[in-house]
Amino acid sequence: MTAAFASGHRQENRVEQLKQLRQKIAALSGKQAVPTEDPVPQGQGLVPRGAVAVLSGARSLLLRMVAQVTAEGGNAAIVGQPDIGLLAAVEMGADLSRLAVIPDPGSDPVEVAAVLIDGMDLVVLDLGGRRVTWTRARAVVARARNRGCTVLVTDGEWEGASTRLEARICGYEITPTLGDVPAPGFGRISGVRLQVCANGRTIGRSRTG
């Protein structure tokens, strides 16, 4: 009886939370959108507005995208990823006042992301190892396209994804701490060099930080 009551109570809380989230996003979606048709930054033209892409590998590329979208006046959200490095995003220029973070979206992060799409320019959706079937994915893809919101999916399987990106660290930018000349074993990492692949093909390099 206690377990059943607790489960029901959690369900009521979740319904209320989703209701409040929808109200906030509805208000946000009424604001003037950022007038741009450019692809998501640092995506090398691979992730246009309104597209859904699967992103794996180094988080630095993801954080750079969030940073540039918010720095240019757009709104972004991160669903899941409770250990995401927001300090790194700030160092890349992110405006945290334009970033919504939902560290624990519950058992259905896709539903939460679908609500956020209505008022965001970029939504990062961490699936937590889940698999999203094409039937459900198709509905989210259509919604994102209609709203002009880019969705980046991480840590899971998204059936039917037309774009799959992978970011690999290929080097670091080191700031000397002893004098002006870098020395082995000394210095501070000030940036990361990434190799970006799309659908298995290397398409360029990017620097973050």
Side-chain angles (χ1 to χ4, degrees), residues 17-163:
Q17 289 170 354
L18 283 173
K19 179 181 178 181
Q20 293 176 3
L21 182 59
R22 287 191 178 95
Q23 292 173 344
K24 291 179 180 179
I25 295 302
L28 185 62
S29 62
K31 297 180 180 179
Q32 184 175 1
V34 178
T36 177
E37 295 182 357
D38 293 337
V40 170
Q42 297 297 320
Q44 307 292 337
L46 294 174
V47 192
R49 290 178 63 86
V52 177
V54 175
L55 177 62
S56 62
R59 285 186 179 180
S60 300
L61 182 61
L62 180 158
L63 291 173
R64 182 59 183 172
M65 292 180 179
V66 169
Q68 195 161 345
V69 166
T70 57
E72 293 180 352
N75 298 304
I78 300 176
V79 180
Q81 299 204 21
D83 59 343
I84 193 74
L86 294 182
L87 177 58
V90 171
E91 291 177 342
M92 294 177 190
D95 180 353
L96 295 187
S97 70
R98 292 186 169 276
L99 176 63
V101 179
I102 316 293
D104 182 10
S107 60
D108 193 354
V110 178
E111 181 180 8
V112 175
V115 174
L116 289 166
I117 283 173
D118 288 346
M120 297 291 166
D121 299 285
L122 172 66
V123 172
V124 177
L125 169 58
D126 187 277
L127 293 176
R130 297 175 178 84
R131 175 174 172 269
V132 179
T133 64
W134 168 236
T135 301
R136 191 172 193 196
R138 182 170 53 187
V140 177
V141 169
R143 188 167 190 161
R145 183 187 304 114
N146 179 262
R147 300 295 184 180
C149 175
T150 301
V151 179
L152 297 178
V153 179
T154 65
D155 190 23
E157 177 58 30
W158 187 274
E159 289 189 357
S162 59
T163 301

